[in-house]
Amino acid sequence: MNISDLGKSYAESSKNLTISNALKRERARLSVRGIVGSGLAFIAQGIIKTSQRDHLFVFNDKEEAAYFLNDLQKIEGGDFTSVFYPESYRV
């Protein structure tokens, strides 16, 4: 089993379907806590695969966002479009 197979397996899991159904509401928001390592990327990948919406992920800093994006790219194998907006200044 490779990393893409693991991502597909998670996308089809009952937990992912529960999260996806919760996000179908208009103006839905989701906050996930207690996830470590690449767990958040697997959750996000599953949601992205099962929905036809755009998604916005906000992180504390540029490094955290870059790691997340890299994890998504490894899971998907580059099979999605993403845009990375690093911070331009501090307020």
Side-chain angles (χ1 to χ4, degrees):
M1 177 178 271
N2 62 29
I3 195 163
S4 293
D5 293 337
L6 187 59
K8 289 175 189 174
S9 177
Y10 186 81
E12 297 168 355
S13 73
S14 62
K15 289 181 183 182
N16 181 59
L17 294 175
T18 301
I19 294 170
S20 293
N21 287 335
L23 288 173
K24 287 181 181 176
R25 291 178 288 157
E26 188 174 329
R27 302 188 98 162
R29 293 182 182 185
L30 177 67
S31 176
V32 179
R33 298 171 195 251
I35 305 298
V36 295
S38 298
L40 182 59
F42 278 100
I43 292 170
Q45 179 269 346
I47 293 167
I48 291 167
K49 279 289 212 191
T50 58
S51 75
Q52 299 299 318
R53 295 178 145 181
D54 294 326
H55 301 279
L56 174 66
F57 299 95
V58 179
F59 294 92
N60 293 321
D61 57 38
K62 182 179 175 179
E63 182 180 12
E64 192 177 340
Y67 275 114
F68 176 76
L69 180 59
N70 186 38
D71 287 344
L72 274 181
Q73 290 171 337
K74 293 285 185 189
I75 295 168
E76 281 297 309
D79 191 29
F80 70 102
T81 302
S82 62
V83 180
F84 179 67
Y85 293 110
E87 63 184 331
S88 59
Y89 64 91
R90 294 199 181 255
V91 177

